[in-house]
Amino acid sequence: MIWYILIIGILLPQSLAHPGFFTSIGQMTDLIHTEKDLVTSLKDYIKAEEDKLEQIKKWAEKLDRLTSTATKDPEGFVGHPVNAFKLMKRLNTEWSELENLVLKDMSDGKSEEIPEVGVQDQPGQHSNSLTLQKNENLAGSLYFLFIGVKHKSFLTAEDCFELGKVAYTEADYYHTELWMEQALRQLDEGEISTIDKVSVLDYLSYAVYQQGDLDKALLLTKKLLELDPEHQRANGNLKYFEYIMAKEKDVNKSASDDQSDQKTTPKKKGVAVDYLPERQKYEMLCRGEGIKMTPRRQKKLFCRYHDGNRNPKFILAPAKQEDEWDKPRIIRFHDIISDAEIEIVKDLAKPRLRRATISNPITGDLETVHYRISKSAWLSGYENPVVSRINMRIQDLTGLDVSTAEELQVANYGVGGQYEPHFDFARKDEPDAFKELGTGNRIATWLFYMSDVSAGGATVFPEVGASVWPKKGTAVFWYNLFASGEGDYSTRHAACPVLVGNKWVSNKWLHERGQEFRRPCTLSELE
């Protein structure tokens, strides 16, 4: 409108400046052509504004359909990691682009395309260019979902690229490589995208180099230069990689001359910043690709009714017990906590939920870490009769004294919530881990599952290949220490990332003190 007024303001004074214009037919015809130009310019302006409004209208209609679906089940909608990712992406980037388009002066005749909004067909069925609410594990969690779970939502090559950048900013080069490779794969398959292979290869080659795979980094850099021979950083990296490889070759040759009878061992892929010795097995188990037991071992696993060693409370209504694994022995109790009890525990915990912490093995201080992403709260038995009743149920079924146990810990894991492989007990290099409690080491763990999880959220034991999947109303129990008091290192376990929905659990860590006659010590270290 301002542009139009300016045009009018410039041209009209010219036509009004000479009152004698009307006396000349020739000059009058010039005014006709001037007015024609004004009308043409006005139509162009109207067309540009209509195009802009049409783009805004299409974007608004798509968002209207999306929000209408989302508001029917908000928790279920954001419980899908792809929906959560795209929501954060829209709020952090696409809405800003829409604002720029709305405020854009269309008088230059140019219009900008608004990014497409990926509307999910059926949402809820299945951590910098992007803030993502500082969810440090979203890149890794989405990769679990992307390759391990069937789902109806989709990720574009651009989405994969953005997630790779999120992992990159967190120095998580392991998942940077995975996401960039997936983006490149989709581009190779012909997907139309706003990103190009050069940008993907730029990140990918550096992520691979950071993990120590120099050969692959060199190969990817050469591939990048085939697409963009003038790429400044790639040309610099190529020279550097070739220099390093030539230097290593000279060193290996020199060593070979000195020791001709010894073969040079090829360089292995280096260790990533977020290195976990069992990462591949851990992620495999989280995807449900567990290690299969032999038939001979499976024959030793049973289901039974358990009366708590003739406990009067369970003689008439014994607990349902199932063997999940043999070594370490992991037992699941079915229908061991009611829906009503679960709701009471959750209601008590919700106002107190705080970001979960771990005890620093060196300082003993509680601190948040990137490998434990959840919120937790602690409940004492004296606060509510339901909590007290749950504590006594654990004592009756395990035969262990809960008076020296820690309070009931309630934890809630959202999308991407997880706890990477860890031990519940203190190792020999952590002698002061539970010194303040004065109750000795954690002898056993009892874990209630207070919700079902649509995808992800398993409790896995990478050392032995066991996977225990959440089932509402059940609980699992295992000993962290042998009867000798020595730690059972096969109990190293993890809470897999929640891929869809959210996960509620509560656990009880039972300690050594008070168990002297309930679980007597043995002379053998491994009994």
Side-chain angles (χ1 to χ4, degrees):
M1 184 58 69
I2 294 175
W3 174 84
Y4 177 61
I5 292 173
L6 287 174
I7 295 294
I8 298 294
I10 292 171
L11 295 178
L12 286 183
Q14 293 180 3
S15 64
L16 299 175
H18 305 286
F21 253 115
F22 69 93
T23 61
S24 171
I25 295 298
Q27 289 179 326
M28 290 287 288
T29 57
D30 290 341
L31 292 178
I32 291 175
H33 293 297
T34 298
E35 187 174 44
K36 176 65 174 177
D37 291 340
L38 283 171
V39 172
T40 301
S41 297
L42 181 59
K43 288 182 177 179
D44 289 343
Y45 172 76
I46 293 171
K47 181 67 167 59
E49 288 289 351
E50 287 176 342
D51 290 344
K52 183 177 80 170
L53 288 172
E54 186 62 27
Q55 291 178 50
I56 297 172
K57 182 179 178 181
K58 288 168 62 179
W59 203 79
E61 288 174 350
K62 291 179 180 180
L63 273 183
D64 184 47
R65 292 195 298 269
L66 183 64
T67 53
S68 295
T69 303
T71 51
K72 293 177 182 177
D73 181 16
E75 187 173 332
F77 183 83
V78 296
H80 192 303
V82 175
N83 292 336
F85 166 72
K86 287 181 175 288
L87 174 63
M88 291 298 105
K89 184 180 177 183
R90 287 196 300 274
L91 293 176
N92 281 282
T93 59
E94 294 178 4
W95 274 101
S96 296
E97 293 172 5
L98 177 65
E99 180 185 17
N100 293 335
L101 178 61
V102 171
L103 298 177
K104 181 177 175 59
D105 181 6
M106 304 306 292
S107 61
D108 58 4
K110 297 179 181 178
S111 62
E112 294 181 353
E113 289 294 328
I114 226 37
E116 290 292 319
V117 179
V119 181
Q120 310 307 323
D121 294 331
Q122 294 183 28
Q125 293 189 4
H126 302 280
S127 262
N128 168 353
S129 62
L130 209 55
T131 305
L132 290 175
Q133 299 288 330
K134 293 303 290 181
N135 187 346
E136 300 96 324
N137 198 51
L138 184 58
S141 303
L142 272 168
Y143 194 76
F144 278 128
L145 176 67
F146 194 77
I147 64 176
V149 179
K150 293 181 179 179
H151 55 93
K152 293 194 175 183
S153 294
F154 63 91
L155 289 175
T156 64
E158 183 181 1
D159 293 332
C160 296
F161 178 71
E162 292 292 344
L163 282 162
K165 288 168 66 177
V166 171
Y168 179 86
T169 59
E170 296 290 337
D172 179 3
Y173 301 115
Y174 173 80
H175 284 111
T176 301
E177 179 184 358
L178 296 178
W179 279 117
M180 291 302 173
E181 284 183 337
Q182 181 60 38
L184 188 62
R185 191 176 300 116
Q186 292 182 206
L187 291 175
D188 287 339
E189 292 172 355
E191 180 178 321
I192 305 299
S193 178
T194 57
I195 63 167
D196 54 46
K197 294 181 182 180
V198 171
S199 300
V200 177
L201 287 167
D202 194 15
Y203 278 95
L204 179 56
S205 60
Y206 186 75
V208 169
Y209 164 70
Q210 283 290 349
Q211 296 180 81
D213 195 343
L214 196 57
D215 291 332
K216 186 176 180 181
L218 180 63
L219 184 65
L220 291 168
T221 302
K222 288 180 178 179
K223 188 174 181 180
L224 189 160
L225 288 172
E226 290 177 3
L227 300 173
D228 184 3
E230 305 300 321
H231 197 284
Q232 185 175 358
R233 182 167 47 252
N235 278 296
N237 288 343
L238 180 64
K239 294 177 181 178
Y240 176 72
F241 294 156
E242 289 176 339
Y243 167 74
I244 295 296
M245 293 185 75
K247 192 174 180 180
E248 288 181 353
K249 187 176 181 180
D250 290 340
V251 171
N252 291 336
K253 184 179 179 181
S254 176
S256 178
D257 292 340
D258 294 338
Q259 299 177 342
S260 58
D261 58 327
Q262 294 184 7
K263 294 183 178 180
T264 303
T265 303
K267 183 178 179 182
K268 295 182 179 180
K269 189 171 181 177
V271 173
V273 173
D274 63 340
Y275 173 72
L276 270 175
E278 68 271 72
R279 177 175 289 282
Q280 287 188 339
K281 184 182 287 187
Y282 160 54
E283 295 191 350
M284 178 188 73
L285 292 171
C286 287
R287 293 195 298 268
E289 302 166 9
I291 297 175
K292 300 297 182 182
M293 269 190 178
T294 62
R296 178 175 294 183
R297 289 178 64 187
Q298 285 181 334
K299 287 180 180 180
K300 298 179 181 179
L301 303 182
F302 295 96
C303 293
R304 67 186 67 82
Y305 286 108
H306 180 62
D307 61 10
N309 298 319
R310 305 295 294 174
N311 188 298
K313 298 178 184 177
F314 293 100
I315 290 178
L316 293 179
K320 303 170 188 174
Q321 203 179 73
E322 177 186 2
D323 293 332
E324 288 279 356
W325 205 257
D326 53 355
K327 293 181 181 180
R329 192 183 183 202
I330 305 169
I331 300 172
R332 187 193 293 266
F333 291 86
H334 291 269
D335 302 320
I336 204 63
I337 183 171
S338 68
D339 289 348
E341 290 173 323
I342 287 173
E343 291 307 312
I344 291 173
V345 170
K346 287 167 63 175
D347 289 341
L348 290 171
K350 284 177 182 178
R352 310 184 202 176
L353 288 175
R354 298 293 183 271
R355 174 69 184 266
T357 59
I358 62 109
S359 177
N360 187 302
I362 299 175
T363 65
D365 296 334
L366 295 177
E367 57 187 25
T368 60
V369 288
H370 74 278
Y371 55 82
R372 186 181 189 187
I373 303 173
S374 64
K375 289 189 174 183
S376 62
W378 299 85
L379 303 180
S380 298
Y382 63 80
E383 298 181 57
N384 191 285
V386 170
V387 179
S388 177
R389 186 166 67 243
I390 288 172
N391 288 340
M392 289 308 300
R393 189 177 303 155
I394 295 172
Q395 176 169 301
D396 293 336
L397 290 171
T398 63
L400 299 177
D401 188 354
V402 297
S403 65
T404 58
E406 296 174 46
E407 294 179 339
L408 187 70
Q409 181 182 223
V410 182
N412 179 223
Y413 296 82
V415 174
Q418 53 111 41
Y419 193 177
E420 289 185 356
H422 61 281
F423 296 102
D424 281 351
F425 66 91
R427 274 75 67 213
K428 290 182 178 180
D429 58 348
E430 303 170 323
D432 299 330
F434 305 115
K435 187 177 181 179
E436 292 184 0
L437 297 177
T439 54
N441 211 340
R442 288 173 175 167
I443 191 173
T445 297
W446 178 285
L447 178 65
F448 283 112
Y449 292 116
M450 303 197 301
S451 68
D452 293 314
V453 182
S454 300
T459 305
V460 298
F461 296 74
E463 291 290 323
V464 297
S467 299
V468 181
W469 295 89
K471 183 179 180 182
K472 187 177 181 180
T474 69
V476 291
F477 172 79
W478 67 87
Y479 280 103
N480 297 306
L481 307 179
F482 292 111
S484 63
E486 292 293 319
D488 184 352
Y489 284 79
S490 67
T491 61
R492 181 172 169 84
H493 61 284
C496 294
V498 172
L499 305 179
V500 180
N502 72 111
K503 170 184 170 184
W504 283 91
V505 297
S506 58
N507 66 277
K508 195 79 171 174
W509 283 309
L510 299 107
H511 284 247
E512 291 178 292
R513 299 296 176 264
Q515 321 304 343
E516 292 82 356
F517 298 103
R518 292 172 180 262
R519 194 193 189 211
C521 293
T522 60
L523 295 177
S524 173
E525 289 187 358
L526 301 181
E527 290 184 4

